Amino acid sequence: MGPTVQKLVARVRGILGRIKDVMVVRPPANEQEATVMGDQCNLLFLLCKLFSATGCVNVIVNSIAFGVSRDPFMMVMVTTILLLYAAILRVALRWKRERDDYRFLSQAQSLFTCLGFAWGTTIILFALNGTADQTVLLLGLASGVVSTPIISVPMAVAFGFFIPNALLSIYAVCLVMPHADMFSATAFISFCCYAAIGIMFTNMTFSGRSEARAALQREIETVNVFLREYEQGSPDWLWQTDRDGRITEPTPRMAEAVGLAPDVLNRRKLADLVSTVRDNEGTEDRHRQDLAGCFQERQAFREMLVRHEGTHGVRWSRLTGHPVYDDRGRIAGFRGIGRDVTAEHEAREKVNFLARHDSLTGLLNRRAFVEVVADLCKEKRSFALVFIDLDNFKGINDTYGHHAGDQLLQSIAGRIHQSIRPQDTGARLGGDEFALLVMGADGEEGLAVAERLAQQLGQTFAVDGIKIHPGASIGVSACPQDAHDPQRLMMLADLALYKAKEQGKGRACLFERWIEEEHHSLITREAELAEAIRKDQIGVHYQPIVDLKSHRIVSAEALVRWNHPTRGCISPGEFIGTAERSGLMEELGEVVLRIACRDAMSWASPIQVNVNLSPRQLRSGRFPEILAQALEESGLPAERLGIEITESVLLDQDDKTLRQLDSIRSLGAKLILDDFGTGYSSLTYLHEVEVDGIKIDAAFTSKLPEKKVAMIYRMIARLALDLNIYVVAEGVEEPSQMEWLNQNGIRFAQGYLLGRPAPSPPATRVEYLA
């Protein structure tokens, strides 16, 4: 044989081998084949009942039509067909009971093959005994019987019936049927080919779907195994619900995570386990609504945060889930994974709390408080804004230590919290500054709350066994009567607070329009003062200090004046406070120092010039350098310069201040303690700081010669004598005062009686004494 013939023979053998494989029912070799065989049996069971019912009816009706009773052999074939249908039905029912798939298919193949031969033989007999009028009936019967196995499975059973029946029916239609013709034969043979192709495609499609379903089922089982292993080795847990959102088959891990027993969880709605969640601002979250909504709308969800309570207390979890559908595409429920995030959630909540609250007092911090005020203003709510500033907290901190200071702040916060209603809000803005929102209150009501609070904060606090009386100054503004803008509202409360401090400690002040007008006036004066310094509008007047024995002027105090272009000469009482508040004091003091040194060099008499030193001039630490420059530029000998300091300079007694005072004396300038006797610890300052002279405050001089004041004067004079310090009596305005000073050995004096401040150089002698 040639190669072509060999290939053809091999191909034919292959085709015959495949046909043989198809026509033989074999036991399943693996789980997938067993699953496919089970699906075939399920369908064949239904077809057996259907075929048996319709086949019996057809054979009986057609036997009557073709006169079966006239031919005994036809009677035998009809009876055989009925018996075969009964046997097929019996085999199917036994499979239903025993579920032996291989036995069922093997027996069904044999019975259906016999049935095919029986039907084919019967159709031939009908053709032999039929008349010409029954040709159409015979063709319909043959076509119907041949097409029966188109929907039958498996292929071995379908072709077992089809092949003998089709061959015998073709013989009947083409050769035996009365008036058989070529057209009828061709049409019937074509129909038989169509039926054969239909059987093959039906079985191929069914087998493919069955195999796919078997593979899917294996994958599902594999996934379930993996999920069970995953759940056992993971903190996550699996959950599933029915179409109504009720939990089905709760796993032990889910029960443990939720804190409820599995039998309690079973058939419970998952959405009922989720309680309302509130965030840090108190606004309601909608996780519960979202979960129920996802169930209702059949939507998948991911990492949904839920809160639930069980035997473990309040727990937080994140749920991920998706809808599950049945074979008909209908929703069967939801399935997903849950994860306990309690520790993570609580840690995040703690971080969020710390981000919005003061760590020391637990009150809102500045940022969060400003956000609340802004939100309330945006919502056009009515409230009073209260700003609180503790009095002398720095002194308490320095005296008792920071630990005591922190405890005091906590006690203050506690007292504020006790003084407000649940709807009100307290905050610590920083340091010793607190704030309060009094909801629904106008300015007057807010002021009443502030006054009560000022009284409570002024009471005694016990800190580490120490009794402390801190006190507080409070400013109040109101929305909407004062402002709608949050920044402006807080600025107005700040202005009211500053005004309360000016009025004295432990006061509460309600903002009024004149306070803002005064503030704007201060700002204007600050700008004008800064401009005056730049434009050389600052001048100096000199008031003499007199030696009462020799009647000679021994020194002159430099007193600053503002030569305003429109208001004329302005005394220091009107602008020194502005300079102190605005930070211009250092610059103003430098200008006065340089003018005084320059003027003193031009005087005919080489007397001493005294310049006042403000505490703010020492803050930068540059004053000794400025002093040295002024002396060098003017050429004034340092011993002709006196620096007058008040006791306020010495209140802090920090190292920087003391070093600068030592530097002043090291340069050769004299150090004079001004307004002596008005402070708290005047004698202490004499011990701490080396001074060359003291000036007794005018408040004492004005009361001379009262007995008690006279005693104080004489005591100071004796003390100064022992310390080798000269004494100057300030504020001498009456002859009786000067007479008393002479009689009691107070040698130096200053006051309007002896000379008023004047821009011209001081004379050498006092005209009044002359």
Side-chain angles (χ1 to χ4, degrees):
M1 290 188 296
T4 304
V5 176
Q6 290 178 349
K7 289 182 180 180
L8 181 62
V9 171
R11 184 169 295 180
V12 170
R13 287 178 178 175
I15 293 173
L16 293 176
R18 291 180 182 178
I19 293 174
K20 181 181 178 181
D21 291 338
V22 167
M23 297 302 297
V24 175
V25 178
R26 291 186 175 84
N30 51 51
E31 186 177 350
Q32 180 172 341
E33 290 183 2
T35 302
V36 173
M37 183 176 285
D39 290 341
Q40 292 173 342
C41 292
N42 282 322
L43 179 58
L44 184 60
F45 172 76
L46 297 175
L47 294 177
C48 286
K49 294 191 293 183
L50 177 63
F51 289 167
S52 298
T54 57
C56 289
V57 172
N58 277 330
V59 73
I60 292 172
V61 170
N62 282 283
S63 65
I64 294 172
F66 285 99
V68 146
S69 59
R70 298 193 302 269
D71 188 343
F73 189 64
M74 288 177 61
M75 287 287 293
V76 172
M77 292 310 300
V78 170
T79 302
T80 300
I81 291 173
L82 292 174
L83 291 175
L84 286 171
Y85 275 127
I88 288 171
L89 188 60
R90 179 174 177 274
V91 168
L93 292 174
R94 185 168 59 187
W95 171 84
K96 187 69 174 176
R97 294 191 305 273
E98 299 177 0
R99 292 289 179 174
D100 189 342
D101 296 342
Y102 173 69
R103 180 182 180 186
F104 176 41
L105 293 182
S106 298
Q107 293 177 347
Q109 182 187 26
S110 300
L111 290 172
F112 271 95
T113 300
C114 294
L115 184 63
F117 277 108
W119 264 112
T121 303
T122 302
I123 290 173
I124 292 174
L125 293 175
F126 284 168
L128 289 172
N129 292 287
T131 63
D133 296 337
Q134 293 177 321
T135 301
V136 175
L137 177 62
L138 185 64
L139 285 172
L141 176 63
S143 299
V145 175
V146 166
S147 65
T148 297
I150 289 179
I151 60 173
S152 181
V153 293
M155 202 175 293
V157 175
F159 277 117
F161 176 83
F162 174 78
I163 291 174
N165 178 53
L167 293 176
L168 293 174
S169 295
I170 290 172
Y171 173 76
V173 171
C174 295
L175 300 176
V176 180
M177 186 178 68
H179 304 292
D181 58 79
M182 181 181 65
F183 297 106
S184 298
T186 302
F188 185 74
I189 291 172
S190 299
F191 182 77
C192 289
C193 292
Y194 167 78
I197 294 172
I199 291 172
M200 288 189 290
F201 274 99
T202 297
N203 277 267
M204 290 171 61
T205 302
F206 180 85
S207 297
R209 291 184 177 179
S210 182
E211 291 173 0
R213 181 190 293 179
L216 178 62
Q217 184 62 34
R218 287 199 310 276
E219 291 179 2
I220 291 174
E221 292 175 357
T222 302
V223 169
N224 287 335
V225 171
F226 287 157
L227 288 176
R228 284 193 294 270
E229 293 178 352
Y230 168 77
E231 187 179 29
Q232 292 172 0
S234 168
D236 297 351
W237 38 272
L238 306 177
W239 61 269
Q240 62 181 5
T241 69
D242 60 14
R243 68 182 61 191
D244 297 323
R246 298 182 184 276
I247 299 172
T248 59
E249 302 179 11
T251 64
R253 180 62 60 82
M254 177 184 182
E256 179 183 357
V258 176
L260 296 173
D263 56 342
V264 177
L265 279 177
N266 195 34
R267 308 306 300 169
R268 285 274 305 272
K269 283 192 173 183
L270 183 58
D272 291 341
L273 297 177
V274 183
S275 59
T276 302
V277 178
R278 293 184 179 275
D279 59 22
N280 291 338
E281 286 76 24
T283 58
E284 184 173 322
D285 203 343
R286 298 186 174 182
H287 288 158
R288 178 172 184 170
Q289 181 179 347
D290 286 346
L291 181 61
C294 288
F295 284 162
Q296 184 176 359
E297 298 174 11
R298 311 297 189 244
Q299 291 183 350
F301 53 89
R302 182 177 178 84
E303 294 291 315
M304 181 179 292
L305 181 66
V306 296
R307 176 181 179 271
H308 47 85
E309 296 184 15
T311 55
H312 304 316
V314 177
R315 308 292 294 177
W316 299 85
S317 298
R318 288 198 178 274
L319 300 182
T320 298
H322 61 86
V324 178
Y325 298 91
D326 59 17
D327 296 338
R328 299 182 181 180
R330 297 179 301 182
I331 185 72
F334 271 74
R335 184 177 298 157
I337 295 175
R339 177 163 51 93
D340 190 307
V341 294
T342 302
E344 173 188 339
H345 178 79
E346 290 178 350
R348 185 169 58 253
E349 287 293 304
K350 185 176 181 180
V351 170
N352 292 337
F353 179 87
L354 293 176
R356 295 182 52 82
H357 292 76
D358 175 58
S359 59
L360 180 64
T361 63
L363 299 175
L364 287 182
N365 57 26
R366 176 182 287 274
R367 178 180 178 183
F369 184 77
V370 170
E371 289 177 358
V372 173
V373 174
D375 291 341
L376 293 175
C377 289
K378 187 176 181 180
E379 296 169 5
K380 298 181 179 179
R381 302 275 297 276
S382 297
F383 62 91
L385 176 61
V386 180
F387 275 8
I388 306 164
D389 189 81
L390 301 186
D391 297 327
N392 195 33
F393 178 73
K394 184 178 185 303
I396 295 172
N397 232 1
D398 293 343
T399 303
Y400 301 108
H402 292 285
H403 177 68
D406 289 345
Q407 286 188 311
L408 177 61
L409 291 176
Q410 291 173 336
S411 300
I412 293 287
R415 196 163 290 186
I416 290 175
H417 185 73
Q418 293 172 1
S419 304
I420 62 177
R421 303 167 300 175
Q423 63 267 34
D424 299 333
T425 303
R428 182 189 177 204
L429 304 183
D432 60 347
E433 298 177 359
F434 294 83
L436 179 64
L437 287 176
V438 185
M439 300 305 302
D442 58 17
E444 294 297 334
E445 293 169 334
L447 178 61
V449 172
E451 288 175 341
R452 290 197 301 270
L453 190 58
Q455 185 178 5
Q456 293 175 2
L457 297 181
Q459 296 175 0
T460 302
F461 286 82
V463 176
D464 286 341
I466 304 170
K467 293 183 178 180
I468 300 176
H469 302 271
S473 299
I474 304 178
V476 182
S477 63
C479 177
Q481 69 187 62
D482 292 328
H484 296 87
D485 179 73
Q487 297 299 326
R488 174 168 170 75
L489 192 67
M490 289 188 285
M491 182 197 74
L492 300 182
D494 236 356
L495 293 179
L497 173 62
Y498 290 140
K499 184 54 64 178
K501 283 186 171 295
E502 290 179 7
Q503 294 172 353
K505 295 182 179 181
R507 299 290 186 91
C509 178
L510 174 64
F511 170 78
E512 297 182 33
R513 293 300 169 193
W514 66 266
I515 297 177
E516 185 178 19
E517 293 171 0
E518 183 182 82
H519 174 67
H520 288 160
S521 177
L522 289 173
I523 293 176
T524 302
R525 285 205 298 272
E526 289 174 7
E528 290 180 347
L529 180 58
E531 184 178 9
I533 294 173
R534 289 195 304 270
K535 293 185 176 181
D536 296 330
Q537 295 176 4
I538 302 300
V540 177
H541 286 197
Y542 300 95
Q543 187 176 23
I545 298 174
V546 181
D547 184 342
L548 297 182
K549 286 189 175 182
S550 65
H551 300 172
R552 297 183 64 84
I553 296 175
V554 295
S555 180
E557 181 179 0
L559 302 173
V560 65
R561 295 292 187 269
W562 180 359
N563 299 314
H564 198 278
T566 58
R567 296 167 57 191
C569 184
I570 301 177
S571 63
E574 297 185 37
F575 64 87
I576 288 297
T578 302
E580 295 276 3
R581 285 191 299 269
S582 62
L584 293 171
M585 195 63 228
E586 184 174 12
E587 189 175 357
L588 178 63
E590 181 178 351
V591 169
V592 172
L593 176 63
R594 293 182 184 276
I595 293 174
C597 290
R598 188 176 60 248
D599 288 351
M601 276 299 295
S602 65
W603 294 342
S605 177
I607 62 174
Q608 178 177 302
V609 61
N610 292 353
V611 179
N612 290 286
L613 178 65
S614 167
R616 293 184 181 271
Q617 292 177 257
L618 298 175
R619 287 188 177 179
S620 68
R622 295 179 53 246
F623 183 75
E625 179 184 351
I626 294 172
L627 175 60
Q629 290 176 356
L631 291 172
E632 182 179 359
E633 291 173 2
S634 64
L636 181 70
E639 61 270 12
R640 286 187 57 194
L641 178 65
I643 300 299
E644 295 190 7
I645 60 172
T646 60
E647 297 178 12
S648 59
V649 173
L650 305 171
L651 281 177
D652 293 334
Q653 290 191 21
D654 59 349
D655 292 340
K656 185 169 72 172
T657 299
L658 295 177
R659 283 197 303 269
Q660 291 182 85
L661 296 179
D662 288 340
S663 297
I664 292 172
R665 288 179 56 83
S666 298
L667 288 171
K670 297 180 174 62
L671 204 58
I672 303 164
L673 186 57
D674 195 11
D675 298 334
F676 185 80
T678 58
Y680 297 103
S681 305
S682 300
L683 297 178
T684 301
Y685 299 143
L686 288 177
H687 171 72
E688 296 290 340
V689 181
E690 293 287 341
V691 297
D692 297 283
I694 58 175
K695 298 175 73 174
I696 301 177
D697 190 76
F700 288 99
T701 306
S702 63
K703 297 178 181 179
L704 289 175
E706 292 183 7
K707 183 177 181 180
K708 189 177 294 186
V709 174
M711 291 176 62
I712 294 173
Y713 245 95
R714 283 192 287 267
M715 181 190 68
I716 294 174
R718 284 196 299 270
L719 177 63
L721 181 62
D722 292 339
L723 295 174
N724 195 24
I725 297 173
Y726 67 84
V727 177
V728 179
E730 292 185 298
V732 177
E733 297 182 358
E734 300 292 338
S736 59
Q737 297 169 354
M738 189 177 65
E739 182 180 353
W740 188 92
L741 293 172
N742 271 319
Q743 293 175 355
N744 288 274
I746 307 298
R747 184 170 179 177
F748 303 103
Q750 179 184 9
Y752 284 170
L753 183 65
L754 302 173
R756 291 179 175 273
S760 58
T764 57
R765 297 177 65 86
V766 179
E767 296 180 2
Y768 173 78
L769 296 177

